[in-house]
Amino acid sequence: MATNVEATPEATALLPRRPLRADARQNYDKLIAAAREVFAEEGTAASLEEIARRAQVGIATLYRRFPTRQDLLEATYLEEVEAISSSAADFDGLAPWDALVGWLRRYVAFAATKRVLAEELLAYVDRDSEMFKTCSGAITAAGEPLLRRAQDAGVVRPDTSFSDVVRMVSGIAAIRATEPEQIERILDVALDGLRYQPS
């Protein structure tokens, strides 16, 4: 039986007002996509000029939409949180185990980008800020029902919390200088440990 996992409004409420005109919206989307890519590749050393170049827009267009580096960082971070939160609904039709694992695999890619953005954002925003709390709440509201559904179906060990699972997967995503194939193998081993093993 599928569960209805709705995207929570927490992350979307924090997102900056998106442009309504088609061309402005297209530039906004291109800048966010480029920022996500460049920040993931280059971390805190990433230049705004490189982001504008990759988005194929002028630097003036970037500054018009995002007057400061913090504005761009926050918008990219919030867009990432919104995307991972709303993606839980993509797994509605799957069996409980497959739905949970599918979303957690997607979360690994998100966690790598999120870590880089969060590290940079901490130069501007306190770790206990409302923004970080709300984003954490949005992710929990999206992923926790998937875990609970798998536990209710008896396919995931009942002594595991969503916080445990997120920390485990985030830790795997944070492993540096490792081939993607090895990350996949490590994730497989960790996820196998989540399975319920009757005594």
Side-chain angles (χ1 to χ4, degrees):
M1 176 181 169
T3 185
N4 263 334
V5 181
E6 294 182 6
T8 57
E10 285 93 338
T12 29
L14 285 175
L15 283 168
R17 186 181 298 275
R18 293 177 173 118
L20 297 177
R21 277 189 8 244
D23 59 337
R25 175 67 205 194
Q26 185 178 34
N27 283 340
Y28 176 90
D29 289 342
K30 288 196 300 186
L31 283 164
I32 292 292
R36 178 188 303 122
E37 190 177 274
V38 173
F39 284 133
E41 288 173 12
E42 301 180 20
T44 56
S47 75
L48 299 185
E49 289 76 11
E50 172 61 13
I51 291 169
R53 187 191 68 74
R54 243 187 255 191
Q56 299 180 319
V57 302
I59 191 68
T61 299
L62 184 151
Y63 280 118
R64 192 162 46 249
R65 186 63 221 164
F66 305 104
T68 69
R69 185 179 184 83
Q70 181 182 351
D71 292 329
L72 179 58
L73 282 163
E74 285 186 7
T76 306
Y77 186 83
L78 293 170
E79 289 280 358
E80 287 289 286
V81 169
E82 182 190 32
I84 193 63
S85 298
S86 62
S87 75
D90 296 346
F91 302 96
D92 274 358
L94 299 181
W97 173 259
D98 295 333
L100 175 64
V101 168
W103 188 77
L104 288 174
R105 288 189 186 285
R106 195 171 289 182
Y107 186 89
V108 168
F110 158 77
T113 304
K114 172 181 173 274
R115 178 177 46 80
V116 171
L117 292 170
E119 284 173 1
E120 175 102 353
L121 272 171
L122 287 170
Y124 307 96
V125 183
D126 188 81
R127 188 179 297 278
D128 297 321
S129 71
E130 198 58 37
M131 183 193 77
F132 281 131
K133 285 181 185 173
T134 303
C135 288
S136 176
I139 292 167
T140 299
E144 198 166 46
L146 293 170
L147 175 64
R148 195 164 51 245
R149 180 175 166 237
Q151 288 172 323
D152 291 346
V155 293
V156 167
R157 43 190 298 168
D159 60 344
T160 304
S161 70
F162 183 70
S163 175
D164 295 337
V165 175
V166 165
R167 286 176 186 274
M168 174 183 75
V169 174
S170 296
I172 292 168
I175 299 172
R176 299 176 191 269
T178 306
E179 293 297 317
E181 295 79 13
Q182 187 176 15
I183 293 289
E184 280 294 312
R185 287 197 304 275
I186 294 169
L187 183 61
D188 285 342
V189 171
L191 291 175
D192 199 49
L194 278 180
R195 287 184 184 273
Y196 175 65
Q197 305 287 344
S199 47

